Amino acid sequence: MEDVLPVAKEHIARWLEIPDEARAINKAGMRKSRIEMFIEKKEIDSRFYASLCSSSTVQDMLKKHVESLKNKTNLRKWS
């Protein structure tokens, strides 16, 4: 356990030698491909989600859920 702190300080010192701007550029570069993928698939994902939400199975489940919430509300009023 005594060796952990000096080793950690060494690692921190090495990281701090890297300029902030370089770290920011590197981070942005690593995220860029992921962001581009999300942007490219945005329309496809939107259509899929809309299709899923409007399916009869999901609509039936939502209807049952809303009814159960209404029933809980009614029960609380009479309690």
Side-chain angles (χ1 to χ4, degrees):
M1 194 66 167
E2 298 163 4
D3 298 335
V4 171
L5 222 45
V7 173
K9 286 180 181 180
E10 286 177 33
H11 282 283
I12 290 171
R14 276 191 255 148
W15 278 103
L16 291 175
E17 289 174 6
I18 301 169
D20 291 340
E21 187 177 345
R23 283 198 307 269
I25 291 170
N26 186 41
K27 189 185 293 185
M30 291 188 321
R31 292 178 178 169
K32 185 178 179 183
S33 64
R34 186 64 66 177
I35 291 170
E36 287 173 350
M37 180 198 68
F38 283 128
I39 291 170
E40 288 172 9
K41 295 185 181 253
K42 181 179 177 180
E43 185 64 32
I44 295 168
D45 286 343
S46 296
R47 276 192 242 126
F48 173 76
Y49 184 74
S51 170
L52 181 67
C53 289
S54 57
S55 73
S56 61
T57 305
V58 172
Q59 288 297 311
D60 290 343
M61 289 170 44
L62 287 172
K63 184 178 179 181
K64 288 177 184 177
H65 181 66
V66 169
E67 287 300 320
S68 73
L69 292 174
K70 284 180 183 177
N71 289 337
K72 283 183 182 180
T73 303
N74 288 337
L75 289 174
R76 287 185 188 147
K77 286 181 182 177
W78 297 105
S79 296

